[in-house]
């Protein structure tokens, strides 16, 4: 980051810019480039990613622009939309060439790392989102983040787009494409905090207790050396536009008010702080109920907290927000952690942003908050804001309106309690929330002047366990139906429409699955067929996709544009059953719907409730796919409806026939993601069909269906309705005419319904399938294939790929960096080496999760493919590798093993390098709490048992479901991963409370007046021994803390058992590990042989190799001697002279059993006759061939020198 753009030489900046344009990035050069572009003043070099167009370094004057562009107007009413939420990195990888900027941060194996999603991939899938009926997308933050901040919430900058997501032009292409589809783009924005560039003085490696005014708070200490800082108007700084200053002002105050957990105002009556700094110096945020601590504290102790009460900081952020809107035509913001932002910031920022958007033609720019807080707290920042003393009165906090609405967790708590904790009697909490928010919140829109309830309701999001994982798909469907018709705006989290169900919260990456093909979750087989996230999930015909599609279509058909205030009128009559929810709602009298839901998971329930309908009226269940009359609903003379609901059943009752909905494709064959095998039989046909959910115009449909983008294939209607409409179209195609690879079925937008020509398909439909040869075992045909015999082919000179349909690939020699991404070709040149694994990663239709490997020995034998060159198991018992390196051995492809003996519990980590450059551990356990709102009288009596998160919690979930054996677990390479547990029990279980284990050195968090000096002098107290962290591996479990402690009373184990030997296996591709008492599991398995070479065109090579085998029984090349040679290629030339094959030096070593030089004398003569030059036989028998070409024979054995050096 020391590459200040103002000082970059022309050759440096020009070559870097050219490198980015051509997308040919070496990792080191890309890292240098990132540091060069990480500067917000606009330059030619950072222009591709910069939304700011001002070149002078004056952040508060930054501005954006889009010359010649007509801005897309705001929606008439935000409530009319359904929103689709996604993490850009976890959606679709449209261009793999932008995936790596920092080494190691892109890793499709690990759910904690980046997976490559970008703007290009998202744009390619907009039709999929629009097909659901969602007309707005909420995407994760887009500005520059740290190396592995795939979630994008650790900000480095607020004007530079993260190059791993794409360029400004690609963002503009995305917003343009969305707007052309009538969709809106909401960007997640962060203003409370940035990355972690500062520590608090005296607490550089540990927690810093919160301070306010006293003891001059903390001075900020830089975490990085000065050479990595930026040159700014404020001197050398870790951030280019926000600057720290350690000048103490004893008279400065924070003013206020700020607001606490219950909406109470707090004012600052003391003084002393650092007002000239753009950051807070107050220490870590621990007490979220303290109004000052939540406003000034450093969240998680890892995010630098901006001083947002400062007008200087406000001016900068306002300018940057306006620049983003101007440069990219954004439609709205979702504000992250608004409860930690002072209200005075919003009182300035919101009007400035909305006024600016209005000047561009966006009259109703939307700004919504993350309300992961009490209703009393978010009431202070909704609309003009209210404190508790203002409820039920037309009185508000001074100043303009702020956030229009936000993500309302109050409803989520009740969904969770009723559907996950199986407490259906809490169903009445949902109307309780709506009733109370009605008088607690200011819902008047400042533009329309009408009351608009704009809370966002949801069943899942990117921070929590998925509901369907903890309960089931039926519970999710019930929840989706409720939020679709409830007041406010429904938000649908990516993957719910495909019933993704990975256990765990999203915070550690568990429930942040990709929609495209993924690898990181393959160890978590949540169904007999594996994890649903393994495959391509852009399936527009899956049952859950069609269910949500229908919900959104019904919502639009009955509620329209939401222009009437009547849309927010909600009737919630009593039902006679506390487990049944009934509500009636409509934007007009003739559009009212009655939603009836039984929240009980195992028992049917009767429901009776008053309706606006009369006896004899026809009532239909709109949620039924055919929209049939609901004969089970009885309306009596008084208008009371009665019906029986099955467990978890939900009905959407409407008067008369169900309103017509737009047609949609309901099924295709081959199904989405299917693999079609090409049969050897001549004339084999493939029947391709497209089925609609209702009859469509026949002629138009036949002209609108495409195979691989081509209309001329000739789809014809195969199923007609009684009125002449077409239900299904079919095409019979010669299977041999379809090449191996990915094929698509597409249906144009605008195919009209046969019965209501005013309605038509809303978006282009697209489905894909894979065609493969009958015996094809390539990675696209079988995603579980990761070792490919014959990948290394033609005598180590080429790679023979089996990934037809891939668009890109890159290659890695084991232990070396990956190559750049290259366009796919069936056969590619590659100088492979005997005994050295080769990995190939492919990119195909939105995913880079295709990895295969091969490893070849001389003579055609194969060795194991693996991701890492070596693997070590470091434990407390071997002093984390200091006493015994804990080397593991390969026993299968990508599988390492070691037998170890234990008599107690020990901590351990897998490490692929002799140092700690990389390691694999487990994610720590944390509690996931849910609570009731304060206005529910049950909040004092009902405290649900918290759900747990982390590796052990997920392991217990998988065990309880019968999906894992007790020997299985999963590891993570995250920097937050902690050591796993091993023991004499030969299972990955952690110790129970009764097992007293030696935890080793643990972090001690300072309290009160404790500091580093205290740690050095105290020595010990009644319970602990203390020691300053010397950063050695001996104290490795203490992490980066300044002060470490260990219990005086811990011992290895109270269990006095004999030693037990355990087999520990670790798969370095899927990152799962096994601990078992069956030591036979650690034995090597047989390797599938490679297919025979030669391939056509290589017969001369085959002949030459035969000659080599005939004349070289003696050939022995010792690696240690070869290391001394300066020749880059050791070679042998054979007659005819045209027969030459070049091989790398390290591949030319030939080994056989140790023989004396005397025994090899005749062989040495033969070698001399066959070559131009031979080095004399050395002490252990060596023939080295030195001309410029080489052919060689089989690796048979390794000769060991007397001193132990490999030869």
């Amino acid at each position: 980051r020391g590459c200040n753009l103002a000082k970059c030489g022309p050759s440096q900046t020009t070559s870097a810019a050219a490198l980015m344009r051509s997308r040919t990035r070496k990792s080191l050069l890309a890292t240098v480039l990132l540091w060069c572009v990480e500067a917000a003043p606009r330059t030619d070099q950072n222009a591709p990613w910069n939304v700011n167009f001002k070149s002078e370094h004056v952040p508060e004057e930054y501005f954006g622009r889009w010359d010649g562009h007509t801005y897309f107007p705001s929606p008439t009413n935000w409530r009319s939309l359904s929103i689709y939420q996604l993490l850009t990195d976890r959606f679709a990888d449209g261009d793999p060439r932008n995936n790596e900027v920092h080494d190691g941060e892109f890793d499709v194996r690990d759910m904690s790392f980046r997976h490559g999603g970008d703007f290009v991939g998202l744009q390619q899938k907009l039709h999929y989102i629009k097909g659901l009926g969602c007309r707005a997308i909420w995407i994760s933050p887009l500005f520059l983040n740290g190396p592995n901040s795939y979630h994008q919430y650790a900000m480095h900058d607020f004007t530079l787009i993260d190059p791993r997501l794409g360029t400004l032009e690609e963002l503009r292409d995305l917003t343009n494409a969305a707007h052309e589809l009538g969709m809106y783009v909401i960007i997640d924005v962060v203003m409370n905090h940035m990355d972690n560039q500062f520590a608090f003085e005296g607490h550089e490696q540990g927690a810093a207790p919160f301070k306010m005014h006293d003891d001059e708070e903390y001075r900020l200490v830089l975490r990085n050396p000065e050479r990595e800082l930026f040159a700014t108007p404020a001197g050398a700084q870790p951030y280019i536009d926000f600057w720290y200053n350690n000048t103490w002002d004893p008279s400065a105050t924070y003013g206020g008010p700020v607001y606490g957990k219950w909406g109470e105002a707090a004012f600052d009556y003391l003084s002393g702080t650092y007002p000239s700094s753009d950051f807070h110096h107050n220490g870590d945020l621990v007490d979220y109920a303290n109004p000052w601590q939540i406003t000034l504290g450093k969240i998680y102790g890892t995010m630098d907290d901006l001083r947002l009460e400062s007008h200087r900081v406000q001016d900068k952020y306002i300018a940057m927000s306006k620049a983003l809107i101007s440069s990219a035509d954004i439609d709205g913001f979702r504000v992250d952690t608004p409860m930690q932002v002072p209200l005075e910031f919003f009182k300035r920022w919101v009007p400035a942003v909305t006024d600016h958007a209005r000047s561009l033609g966006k009259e109703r720019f939307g700004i919504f908050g993350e309300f992961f807080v009490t209703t009393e707290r978010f009431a202070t920042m909704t609309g003009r804001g209210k404190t508790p003393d203002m409820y039920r009165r037309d009185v508000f906090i001074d100043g303009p309106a702020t956030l229009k609405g936000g993500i309302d967790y109050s409803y989520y708590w009740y969904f969770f309690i009723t559907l996950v904790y199986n407490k259906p009697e809490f169903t009445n909490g949902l109307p309780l929330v709506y009733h109370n928010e009605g008088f607690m919140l200011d819902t008047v829109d400042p533009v329309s002047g009408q009351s608009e309830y704009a809370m966002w309701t949801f069943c899942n999001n990117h921070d929590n366990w998925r509901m369907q994982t903890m309960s089931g798909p039926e519970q999710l469907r019930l929840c989706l139906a409720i939020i679709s018709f409830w007041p406010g705006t429904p938000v649908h989290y990516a993957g719910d429409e495909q019933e993704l169900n990975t256990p765990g919260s999203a915070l550690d990456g568990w429930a942040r699955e990709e929609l495209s093909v993924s690898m990181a979750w393959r160890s978590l087989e949540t169904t007999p067929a594996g994890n649903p996230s393994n495959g391509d999930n852009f399936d527009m015909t899956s049952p859950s996709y069609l269910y949500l599609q229908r919900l959104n279509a019904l919502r639009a058909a009955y509620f329209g544009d939401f222009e009437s205030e009547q849309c927010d009128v909600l009737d919630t009559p009593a039902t006679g059953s506390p487990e049944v929810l009934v509500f009636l709602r409509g934007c007009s009298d003739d559009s009212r719907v009655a939603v009836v839901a039984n929240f009980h998971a195992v028992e049917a329930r009767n429901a009776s409730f008053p309706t606006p309908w009369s006896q004899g009226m026809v009532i239909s269940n709109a949620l039924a796919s055919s929209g049939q009359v609901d004969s089970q609903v009885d309306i009596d003379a008084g208008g009371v409806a009665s019906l029986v609901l099955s467990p978890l059943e939900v009905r959407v009752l409407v008067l008369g026939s169900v309103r017509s909905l737009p047609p949609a494709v309901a099924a295709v064959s081959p199904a989405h993601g299917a693999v079609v095998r090409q049969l050897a039989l001549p004339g084999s046909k493939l029947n391709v069909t497209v089925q609609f959910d209702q009859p469509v115009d026949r002629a138009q449909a036949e002209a609108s269906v495409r195979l691989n983008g081509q209309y001329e294939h000739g789809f014809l209607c195969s199923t007609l309705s009684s009125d002449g409409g077409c239900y299904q179209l079919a095409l019979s195609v010669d299977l041999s005419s379809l090449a191996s690879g990915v094929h698509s079925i597409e249906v144009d937008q605008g195919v009209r319904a046969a019965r209501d020509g005013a309605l038509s398909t809303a978006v282009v439909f697209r489905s894909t399938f894979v065609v493969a040869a009958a015996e094809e075992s390539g990675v696209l045909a079988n995603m579980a294939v990761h070792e490919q015999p014959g990948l290394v082919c033609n005598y180590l000179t080429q790679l023979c790929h089996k990934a037809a349909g891939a668009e890109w690939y890159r290659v890695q020699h084991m232990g070396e960096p990956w190559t750049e991404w290259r366009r796919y070709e069936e056969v590619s040149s590659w100088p492979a080496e005997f005994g050295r694994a080769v990995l190939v990663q492919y990119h195909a239709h939105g995913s880079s999760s295709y990895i295969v490997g091969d490893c070849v020995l001389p003579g055609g034998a194969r060795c194991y493919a693996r991701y890492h060159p070596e693997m070590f198991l470091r434990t407390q018992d071997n002093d984390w590798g200091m006493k015994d390196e804990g080397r593991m051995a390969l026993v299968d492809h990508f599988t390492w093993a070691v037998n170890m003996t234990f008599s107690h519990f020990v901590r351990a980590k897998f490490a692929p390098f002799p140092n700690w450059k990389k390691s694999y551990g487990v994610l720590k356990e944390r509690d996931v709490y849910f609570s009731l709102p304060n206005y529910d009288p049950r909040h004092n009596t009902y405290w649900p048992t918290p759900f747990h998160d982390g590796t052990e919690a997920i392991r217990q979930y998988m065990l309880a479901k019968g999906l894992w054996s007790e020997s299985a677990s999963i590891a993570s390479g995250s920097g937050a991963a902690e050591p796993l547990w091993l023991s004499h029990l030969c299972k990955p279980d952690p110790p129970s409370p009764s097992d007293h284990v030696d935890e080793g050195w643990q972090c001690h968090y300072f309290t009160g007046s404790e500091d580093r000096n205290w740690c050095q002098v105290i020595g010990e107290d009644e319970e602990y021994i203390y020691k300053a962290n010397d950063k050695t591996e001996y104290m490795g479990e203490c992490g980066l803390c300044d002060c470490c402690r260990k219990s005086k009373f811990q011992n290895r184990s109270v269990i006095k058992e004999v030693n037990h030997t355990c087999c520990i296996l670790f798969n370095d591709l899927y990152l799962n590990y096994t601990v078992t008492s069956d030591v036979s599991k650690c034995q090597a398995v047989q390797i599938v042989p490679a297919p025979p070479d030669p391939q056509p065109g290589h017969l001369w090579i085959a002949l030459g190799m035969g000659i080599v085998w005939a004349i070289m029984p003696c050939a022995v090349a010792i690696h240690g001697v070869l290391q001394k040679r300066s020749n880059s290629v050791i070679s042998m030339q054979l007659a005819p002279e045209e027969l030459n094959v070049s091989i790398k030096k390290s591949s030319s070593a030939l080994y056989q059993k140790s023989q004396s030089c005397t025994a090899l004398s005749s062989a040495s003569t033969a070698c001399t006759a066959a070559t131009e030059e031979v080095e004399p036989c050395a002490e252990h028998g060596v023939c080295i061939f030195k001309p410029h070409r080489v052919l060689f024979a089989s690796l048979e054995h390794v000769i060991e020198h007397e001193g132990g050096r490999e030869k």
Side-chain angles (χ1 to χ4, degrees), residues 679-876:
L679 303 178
L681 299 174
S684 296
K685 298 289 185 179
L686 175 67
N687 291 320
V688 183
T689 62
V690 176
Q691 179 183 325
F692 290 88
D693 64 350
Q694 61 180 281
V696 294
D697 182 280
R698 176 178 180 176
Q700 188 188 22
E702 291 179 341
S704 299
V705 183
R706 293 169 280 161
L707 179 63
N708 296 324
Q710 303 299 314
Y711 293 103
E712 58 266 21
H713 285 287
F715 279 87
L716 297 175
C717 185
S718 59
T719 305
L720 288 168
S721 62
S722 58
D723 54 6
C726 183
Y727 267 114
Q728 179 174 286
L729 296 98
L731 171 70
S732 182
V733 60
D734 188 345
L735 192 52
S736 63
S737 68
L738 300 178
S740 293
V742 180
H743 297 264
S744 65
I745 303 169
E746 295 173 327
V747 180
D748 289 343
Q749 179 180 350
V751 177
R752 294 185 299 274
R755 296 168 183 163
D756 186 347
L759 297 173
S760 61
T761 53
V763 71
V764 170
F765 170 89
R766 190 170 193 269
S767 182
T768 60
F769 62 93
V770 174
V771 171
E775 303 300 324
E776 176 66 57
S777 60
V779 67
L780 263 68
N782 184 354
M783 292 173 292
V785 169
H786 297 295
E787 59 94 9
Q788 180 184 315
L791 173 65
V792 176
C793 62
N794 299 333
Y795 305 102
L796 284 78
T797 64
Q798 292 181 317
L799 298 176
C800 294
H801 303 280
K802 292 182 179 179
E807 300 153 359
W808 301 90
Y809 78 99
R810 63 177 187 167
V811 188
Q812 181 191 65
H813 247 147
M814 184 51 53
E816 293 183 1
W818 288 96
T819 65
E820 302 157 3
W821 288 94
R822 306 170 177 180
R823 286 288 184 185
Y824 179 76
E825 50 191 341
E826 290 188 2
V827 179
S828 60
S829 297
W830 183 257
E833 302 173 11
F834 281 141
R836 195 173 187 189
V838 174
L839 291 178
V840 180
Q841 185 172 20
Y842 300 100
H843 176 273
H845 52 98
S847 174
S848 298
S849 290
Y850 303 96
I851 297 177
V852 297
D854 195 15
C855 184
V856 179
L857 298 174
R862 297 180 65 232
C863 39
Y864 297 118
R866 65 267 199 191
Y867 196 85
H868 290 296
E870 49 190 355
M871 189 65 62
F872 305 90
L873 182 57
R874 308 272 174 72
T875 74
Q876 288 174 303

Side-chain angles (χ1 to χ4, degrees), residues 1112-1118 1150-1168 1174-1183 1199:
M1112 291 187 58
C1114 62
V1116 181
I1118 296 180
L1150 307 178
Y1151 303 98
Q1152 67 181 39
K1153 295 180 180 178
S1154 180
Q1155 302 180 57
S1156 69
C1157 196
T1158 302
L1160 290 175
S1161 59
S1162 60
S1164 183
T1165 303
C1167 291
T1168 304
V1174 179
E1175 186 170 67
C1177 199
E1179 180 182 356
H1180 285 278
V1182 178
C1183 288
I1199 301 173

Side-chain angles (χ1 to χ4, degrees), residues 1134-1148:
L1134 298 176
E1137 293 185 359
E1138 295 81 8
L1139 181 58
N1140 296 305
V1141 181
S1142 297
I1143 304 294
K1144 278 189 175 180
K1145 167 185 171 181
S1146 59
S1147 298
S1148 65

Side-chain angles (χ1 to χ4, degrees), residues 26 28 69 82 182 200 280 302 316 351 394 398 520 546 626 665 674 811 963 1060 1081 1096:
K26 294 287 187 180
L28 175 61
H69 178 70
S82 293
F200 297 109
H280 288 133
T302 60
K316 293 180 182 182
D394 197 23
D398 290 342
L546 296 175
S626 59
V665 175
V811 188
L963 300 168
H1060 284 87
K1081 299 289 186 182

